[in-house]
Amino acid sequence: MRIACPFCGERDSSEFSYLGDASPKRPNFAVDSPNSPAEIEDAVFDYVYLRANVAGDMREYWYHGGGCRSWLIAERNTVTHEFKSVTAAPGAGAALAGQAGE
Amino acid sequence: MNYSIFSLLKAALSNHQGWTRAWRDPAPKKHYDVVIIGGGGHGLATAYFLAHKYGIRNVAVLEKGWIGSGNAGRNTTIIRSNYGLPGNTGFYELSMQLWERMEQDLNYNTMVSQRGVLNLYHSDAQRDAFARRGNTMRLNGIDAELLDQAQLRRELPFLNYDNARFPIMGGLIQRRGGTARHDAVVWGYARAADKYGVDVIQNCEVTGFVRDNSGRVTGVETSRGTIGAGKVGMAVAGNSSRVASMVDMRLPIESHVLQAFVSEAIKPLIPGVVTFGAGHFYVSQSDKGGLVFGGDLDGYNSYAQRGNMPVMEDVCEGGMAIMPMIGRVRMLRQWGGIMDMSMDGSPIIDKTPIDGLYLNAGWCYGGFKATPASGLVFAHLLARDEPHAEAARFRLDRFRRGAMIDEKGQGAQPNLH
Amino acid sequence: MSGYTETQPLGRTATADGRASPDRSSAANQSHRLANGGLIDRQAPLQFSFDGKSMSGFAGDTLASALVANGVKLVARSFKYHRPRGIMTAGSEEPSALVEMRTGARKEANTRATTQELYDGLVASSQNRWPSLRRDFMAVNSLLSPIFVAGFYYKTFMWPAKFWEKLYEPAIRRAAGLGETAHLPDPDHYDKAWAHCDVLVVGSGATGLSAALAAGRAGARVILCEEDSHIGGRLLSDGGEIDGMPALDWLRRVTDELASLPNVRIMARTAVFGVYDGGDFGALERVNDHVPQPAEHQVRQRLWRIATRRSVVGAGAIERPIVFPGNDRPGVMMAAAVRTYINRFAAMPGKRIAVFTNNDDGWRTVEAVVRAGGEIAAVIDPRGKVPAAYRALADRSGLRVLPGQVVDVKGGVDGVRSITVATGSSTQNIDTDCLAASGGWNPNVALSSFHRGRPTWREDIAAFVPGVSPPGMIMAGAANGDLSLDACLRTGHAAGAMAAAETGAKGKSGNAAKAADEAFAIQPLWQVKAKGKAFVDFQHDVTASDVTLAQREGFESVEHLKRYTTLGMATDQGKNSNVTGLAIMADARGRSIAETGTTIYRPPYAPVAIGALAGHHRDQNFHAWRLTPSHHWAAERGAVFVDTGLWKRAQWFPLAGETDWLQSVKREVLAVRNGVGFCDVSTLGKVDVRGADAGTFLDRVYINGFSKLAVGKARYGLMLREDGIVMDDGTTSRLAEDHYLTTTTTAKAGPVTQHLEFCRQVLWPELDVQLSSATDQWAQFSIAGPRTRDLLINLVDPSEDVSNEGFPFMGVREVMLRGGMKARLFRISFSGEMAFEIAVPARYGEAMARNIMKAGEPFGVVPYGTEALGVMRIEKGHVAGPELNGMTTASDLGLGGMASKKKDFIGRIMAGREALMAPDRQVVVGIKPVDKARRLRSGAHVVPKGAIPGPETDQGYLTSVCFSPVLDHWIALALVERGRERIGEIVRICDPLRNEDYEAEICSPVFYDPEGGRQRA
Amino acid sequence: MPDFTWETQSPLRKALVVGRHGAGTGAAGVTLREVRDIALVQVMARRGQAAATAKAAKKLFGVEPPTSPKAVTAKTATLIWSGADQFLAFAPHSGDEFYAKLADTFAGIASLSDQSDGRCALHISGPRARDAMAKFCALDLHDTVFPVGAAASTAIDHTNASVWRSADEAGEAVYNLLVFTSFSDSLWHMIADAALEYGLDAGHVSAVQ
């Protein structure tokens, strides 16, 4: 299996490691957040533990640790293993991104 | 028809024309007291125990393909109860005790073979971790022995003691551990449940749930029509999230592919189960002579029931690290199963937040050995609406409470368990 | 219909007819060797032995063809009934003729005689028999066959319960298996390699060659793999005419052209065994299986991972048997195999050959026998009439053609003697010593189906053809159900051209070669319904009645059939049996074959040696190793090394006269506690964290704060996982306003780096932070002990102030060393003594070690290893791996107070869950034995004094244990329920594994200098 | 006071046995050299500073650093792409001088990490170099895919490595490897094993001419 790293091109999958579903967004709660502790715990619990675990196309995090050390977001089919797209995480290439965007 | 050497001899006289179906092929009824989704070992064992122990016989087991087509027929057939954490220890020992009497309980030879399960250690730290686990087992009345290298050399002289990258220093062995014939477990439970009147219904895929106004689950939609149910139990392993999504439920589970391999049949080489702790490799030899072996997950979410080369190579490298005499033995088949990897590596057997719907899932790659106990405790939960004493910690809300049962200490990262 | 055509020799292994053989006698002994023809080299006779009997063959032979040439029929015994078996096929699908090859540590089981190339001195023996192949006592199983039906073992051996474990199963296990493999480490080497191409072509018959040529001419990068030693596939056996020339001439022209194309790579002896995701294929090259043993520096086999964009599979078709009583006797062969032995190997499988075929292809075997001067006993074709193309042959040769079925085969261990043929209601016996049978052809759909694509049924050829193939794969030729030579040439060419074009190749593929189209006609015949054992799976002894028994018992799904009867689970993976078995099942159920379907195809296509799958990575080479910068220096001083992760670390440095490790470790610890010692700590992970927001970044990662840490200072930090459990610990130093150096534990360097990159790139892309690993850049040593400062004064440039005031505890700065070397100096302590860590670029690691020795010589400096390091950290109560076990919280470790309340950090919220805050959690405490002479051991459990040990009273366990030289007794750290409330309590320590049970006292985990004065001195 | 001297040591001082190894006796199929005395600095552009970093690099080296997996040879250094926003500057060792010059050039716009001792440099050439490489390197090294000037961050034996192709020598491709110092002893053994069947000529050279 090969994964097309947006920076390196196609590479053997053994260069990559997998984290999982990229859809859940990490909630941020400041120490003085007005939300109730239960709400806060529920939100973080949801992020850390619950998964849609879809059979089909899924956005997920891969790390090109055996290559350019970029975190990547792949769209992949969990039934066929087909990669539909692979893009860089927002902070991979931030030197460029920052320039263009802000 | 009772199975024995006598019935076999008698049948031989009539050229085996007299044998009848091991289980019936019933059409689904309109309603059952309990519908179990999933005709694997766990689902069938649950049905058996519901009928046999809890007197609930109006039960159907719905299987989308042929029974045993999932992980029940894809695992490496190992049975053991060498766990180290409260919750797991007692449960898996209950399972081991049920294995030890399974043939007589079911009148079916499932070939339970207690040839020992050995975990090798390669460092002082690993030895210490095994010592902790082994002592936990002993305090729970489970057999365990810690072997040093000299003892190991006597028992398994063929291991690579002198030239291994990670020196083989000793091992933790559970002699009551071993293997069983996986398909026979499925067939044995199906036949035994069928005898009590349980309907084992194949080629019947669940496509949705029927719910009443209160939200309670009152039946299932299937490829063979709607089937009403007093209670519905899910025992669908790697497909748990798929089925749960039909009621918009997300679970603390990811589905991952685990590969397994078997070699050509060779004359006896390896007596029991050997697990290589510093690599990802475990092996046993089947009664037919094939080396049955496996290793780590492929590592990514998958419903494909097949794996890729890197893990296959990694597993064989592990084999050649500790037993380089298998170099000329040929790998004959590889396959994959979908593991319901939970967030702490331990199972979930509980009511769901939805009335009438019960969950048996999260078995990771350890579901086979749990089969009889899983059936028993899930049947208990379905019958009594309260957890069996040995499954009291396998609650769905344990993650929310922080009461994880994390044998490997890897946290909420299912592919590392 | 063109038959086999005599031709010029092909390459070096062929020879012209009639050339004088240098060893007439060896040929003369080969009773079944034809005088002429074949692609063997009669100039190169080879001696070999089978079951101790010496025989001869020729270069170009397989072991099977040589056995055929020598008239050997009995080659093997079957798995269950130990029935005598012979050679059935001429390819890798062989189910019966498996042998043990070679001897000693190279002994290998189950090698197919049909694929083993003959070499001089080859030693093979039969397997699964005792005491001999002819007289096999286990053949008694055959007498028990009325009982040993499919699944019989599920129904018995249950009583008495104990007997299964003690008696039945051991007996079954002893009888199990086929051949015996060596019990010694495999002495051969293997390796693995990657290859890349645009188009992979699998199979080098007419289809594959056409595809490779079309793709190669177009300019695509092509790899052509052929499992056989020779390129050519069935062309080598069937001949024929292509583009108006003999097929073998065409073959040579094509191989010459392919060889001339720099973008085409031909790999013979290379079996493609699997297709994986993204167009990756696995292939096994048998580099040196055709020689007695590999030359020095050569591998036996090589595993190829071939990355492709497109693939063309021209893997041909496999002839299938007909199920009839006695169809397993030695001498019953596949019709095409008979043709192969005659045409390719010049070996005549019988003196009087009968042919039983339901299709036209079987008639080509008739033709081959006649052409080679053999005798045809009869042709049995249930279709009732001679195919048009063969009428002339039948007439000319006066063939006895019977429109019937073979209903029995008689013979003994040495094979077929006669067959019984039923035509209508009459039967007749025909004497024959070889029955060539053909039930039709199964396209080789394996590669197409490995991604769980289901083959589809094609009525006209009575066979399954590929369904949905994996992405990028084109099936062509016979593998796709195109069974004629012309169709193979045409579809192979088209597939190759299409594949090349799809990868962007722009060249011209030229035209497809042409052949006179052969008719293929078949009338399905799966099973002759007659009395007697008729085999479906030859190796596993699955009979037609086993299949119908399975059906009666409800094992109707083909997967249940397979698992219940073991049909298709033998080493041929059902290549000879699956389709036939399911056809019989379909018949028994009254369903169509299409409805019944096939079982799942699973790789590998042909079995692969585990050694090849491991390659270089075995024994010591299983995993890479990492060496510290002072490794060789330590080795030269006699250090004992220990594996920690991939690192080799000095565990202790024994001195002459020291007899056990504890003695060395005690000495090292006391040298540090009383003087000074040093230890290579380069293995700790080091991450440079730079950028304007480096401090903010660390604040979010660690539970404690770093943004306010002063430049030139270090601080201990603890990081959690998102789930609130401790992930790792280590010190972080601020080297500049925008530069921190973070250390991780040795074990967690990789995972922590990955986690930090995740935080940087995914969670907080808005922060200006750059990370890089500096672990390997630095040789870092901990120098510890009360004389450390004295040593340093000798080591650093006199201008440097290393006094307590000039360089306070937790201070960090760059210093100049004597001799003009810059170093980083960190005043941090793991041992509890006054200590510094000193770092220089790794290339100076050994010089650093030598110079520390030199500077410390007046103070008796000693190098110490990880064991002493561990002792001192336990004495000091520092937690490490055994306590940071992935289940403990900061508060369990006694470090809860470090958590900042002023900022958010990873894991903060989940760490607050009720069960993680519960008062009865197991927390880190110290343990000391009541009897001070008592040795403690890690992994022993803690129960209350006076309690009965059991699950309810199990309150924790000893995590880290050492002998404390300063206290002169064993001590431990432990995780104990409510431990911190129980300091001073006497508890019971239970260690049933090691049969120990004693009392100990719960104490503070800090055994040494609890005030911490020594490290601040 | 004793004299303190600071000799350097190669991480391959045990593994590397200079000379002809493996099969055959003639010209070796693979030539393997350790390149000693190297300077290596990882240059990582700060957030939003990619262009500024490129400009500064151009000023210092006379060439723009690569923005895709390539290696660019300048007079005083080779610049090797090593990841998004970053490159490695590879040069002969010159004490602190090289790093100091870079620190000056990139102050405030890029973060630096000195890797001069963190990596071991290898040089693989010879008619069978690519065959040997195929055993431990998953990259497609075909001329059309990996021509002179191509570079890659990849994994060799599960550890990170940088690979680039420098100018051909005697018509043969030359591959350069940077591997982690602590792994180099192990990787040297593996690479040598891969080359033995083709004949191996092992040795070392200095980057400092």
Side-chain angles (χ1 to χ4, degrees), chain B residues 3-5 8-9 12 15-17 19-23 66-67 73-74 85 103-104 107-109 111-115 124 128 130-132 134-136 138-140 144-146 160 163-167 181-184 187 202 264-271 276 278-279 285-289 293 304-309 312-313 316-318 320-321 324-335 399-404 406-407 409-412, chain C residues 79 102 105-112 128 146-147 149 152-158 161 164-165 169 173 175-179 181-186 188 190 192 273 276-277 282 300 305 450-452 540 549 552-557 559-560 563-564 569-571 573 602-604 607-611 613-614 617-620 622-625 643 645-646 648 721 723 885-887 913-916 938-941 949-951 954 957 991-994:
Chain B
Y3 289 163
S4 71
I5 185 66
L8 195 63
L9 286 169
N15 217 4
H16 298 279
Q17 295 299 317
W19 294 113
T20 54
R21 300 185 66 96
W23 59 89
W66 38 279
I67 59 168
R74 295 168 179 272
L85 293 181
E103 276 107 356
Q104 288 68 39
N107 178 232
Y108 206 86
N109 187 355
M111 300 186 201
V112 171
S113 172
Q114 296 175 292
R115 309 191 305 279
D124 291 350
D128 295 346
F130 283 161
R132 175 207 178 186
N135 276 327
T136 302
R138 294 284 287 268
L139 292 180
N140 280 269
E145 289 169 54
L146 197 64
N160 193 8
N163 195 28
R165 170 70 182 82
F166 301 106
R181 171 90 180 93
H182 56 4
D183 292 323
W187 303 333
Q202 302 187 85
E264 294 181 346
I266 50 172
K267 291 293 176 198
L269 189 67
I270 298 168
F276 175 25
Q285 188 168 13
S286 77
D287 280 357
K288 239 164 49 193
F293 56 104
Q305 291 189 315
R306 59 183 175 79
N308 277 298
M309 283 185 82
M312 168 174 78
E313 295 175 39
C316 292
E317 288 167 9
M320 289 298 285
M325 83 289 195
I326 62 174
R328 308 180 90 84
V329 178
R330 300 181 192 90
M331 191 256 280
L332 177 63
R333 270 197 308 280
Q334 67 177 133
W335 63 93
F399 303 99
R400 181 64 185 77
R401 287 185 288 113
M404 290 78 73
D406 189 349
E407 295 264 347
Q410 295 289 0
Chain C
F79 182 73
R102 301 184 168 85
R106 287 192 166 81
K107 180 164 160 180
E108 72 196 50
N110 307 337
T111 297
R112 292 142 193 77
N128 199 34
I147 298 166
V149 292
F152 77 96
Y153 29 79
Y154 302 126
K155 296 172 179 151
T156 183
F157 300 134
M158 288 174 283
W164 167 252
E165 207 80 31
E169 200 210 11
R173 289 184 72 80
L178 291 162
T181 194
H183 288 210
L184 296 167
D186 188 345
D188 285 338
Y190 301 83
K192 304 194 258 194
F273 62 76
Y276 300 90
D277 284 314
R300 175 183 172 227
R305 304 103 150 183
F450 282 158
H451 285 201
R452 305 175 69 82
H540 274 176
L549 172 63
R552 283 197 296 283
E553 294 195 272
F555 297 92
E556 296 173 319
S557 148
E559 293 285 354
H560 279 158
R563 289 152 185 269
Y564 192 62
M569 297 178 91
T571 60
Q573 282 254 57
R602 285 168 171 170
V608 184
I610 291 170
L613 291 166
H617 294 96
R618 55 178 282 188
D619 300 309
Q620 291 286 350
F622 169 56
H623 274 183
W625 56 87
D643 291 287
L646 296 182
K648 304 265 182 202
R721 305 188 304 226
D723 68 354
N885 61 8
M887 296 172 244
R913 284 177 289 171
E914 59 172 271
L916 296 180
S938 288
H941 283 239
D954 187 357
Y957 67 103
D991 193 347
L993 276 183
R994 288 165 289 208

Side-chain angles (χ1 to χ4, degrees), chain A residues 7-9 11-12 14-15 64-70 90-99 102, chain D residues 42 45-52 69 81-86 119 138-139 151-155 160:
Chain A
F7 301 106
C8 299
R11 289 303 180 77
D12 193 79
S14 55
E15 290 188 0
H64 195 191
C68 66
R69 290 186 283 285
S70 293
L96 276 175
Q99 238 167 325
E102 294 154 351
Chain D
Q42 190 175 6
R46 291 216 166 164
R47 188 176 162 73
Q49 299 292 332
W81 184 88
S82 66
D85 307 333
Q86 52 175 278
R119 303 288 204 284
L139 298 174
S153 292
T154 186
N160 270 100

Side-chain angles (χ1 to χ4, degrees), chain C residues 676 791 794 851-861, chain D residues 2:
Chain C
V676 60
L791 183 154
N794 277 355
N851 287 334
I852 293 171
M853 287 298 284
K854 216 182 264 183
E857 197 189 346
F859 320 109
V861 67

